[in-house]
Amino acid sequence: MGLLHWEKRYSVGIAAVDHEHRELIELINRLYDEATSRGSKDAVLDFFGDLFKAISAHFALEERFMRERGYNQLIQHKNDHERLLDEIRDIMEDFEAGAGVNEQLLAQRLDAWFSRHFETHDARLHKALGAHPE
């Protein structure tokens, strides 16, 4: 079924960026499926690591784009990226500590994660500067 589903409110209006965001949602859904299917703890932690790397790479690309274009909201946007990465780390650490996956809490945290960031920071960035190169 999947944890997150693409919603129109996530769109920043730029096809390439929206595509990247859809790919991140797919990765999160695959992680969720793995974590809730009684897969091995090591496999789930490996998947968390892969997801974290993919999100970090996406953020690094955005931040480079913002620096190159002289985006005046770079610090605020980068700070939100750090907050989002901290949130993913917290979820990973909770899982590793044996808390398992609280499906409802994970859904709430990740939905808030996407909706707040996509609707505010990413929408403002891409409205001001357009698409970043892939």
Side-chain angles (χ1 to χ4, degrees):
M1 165 120 194
L3 177 66
L4 296 177
H5 303 281
W6 180 259
E7 297 180 27
K8 188 174 184 169
R9 66 187 174 124
Y10 295 152
S11 178
V12 299
I14 297 168
V17 176
D18 287 344
H19 177 74
E20 286 179 15
H21 290 165
R22 281 187 178 102
E23 287 179 337
L24 292 176
I25 288 173
E26 286 177 25
L27 279 173
I28 286 171
N29 285 334
R30 288 178 40 213
L31 166 66
Y32 178 77
D33 290 344
E34 183 72 26
T36 58
S37 69
R38 297 187 183 97
S40 78
K41 187 174 185 176
D42 287 339
V44 173
L45 288 171
D46 286 346
F47 207 101
F48 263 120
D50 291 344
L51 174 65
F52 190 85
K53 284 184 229 170
I55 291 170
S56 295
H58 173 72
F59 288 171
L61 180 63
E62 273 190 358
E63 290 167 15
R64 188 185 81 209
F65 173 69
M66 288 184 277
R67 277 191 302 280
E68 288 172 353
R69 294 288 200 74
Y71 183 55
N72 67 355
Q73 296 288 310
L74 171 63
I75 293 170
Q76 296 89 332
H77 200 122
K78 184 172 174 42
N79 287 343
D80 202 52
H81 283 168
E82 290 303 318
R83 180 188 61 78
L84 298 174
L85 290 171
D86 286 345
E87 185 82 13
I88 293 292
R89 274 191 288 271
D90 289 346
I91 294 168
M92 289 169 61
E93 289 169 3
D94 289 348
F95 181 82
E96 190 169 22
V101 174
N102 177 325
E103 296 174 22
Q104 185 177 8
L105 180 60
L106 183 60
Q108 289 171 344
R109 289 168 88 177
L110 292 174
D111 181 58
W113 192 87
F114 272 97
S115 62
R116 274 195 316 262
H117 187 75
F118 286 2
E119 291 172 342
T120 58
H121 292 282
D122 280 355
R124 186 169 39 244
L125 166 67
H126 298 295
K127 184 175 182 180
L129 301 180
H132 57 80
E134 294 185 44

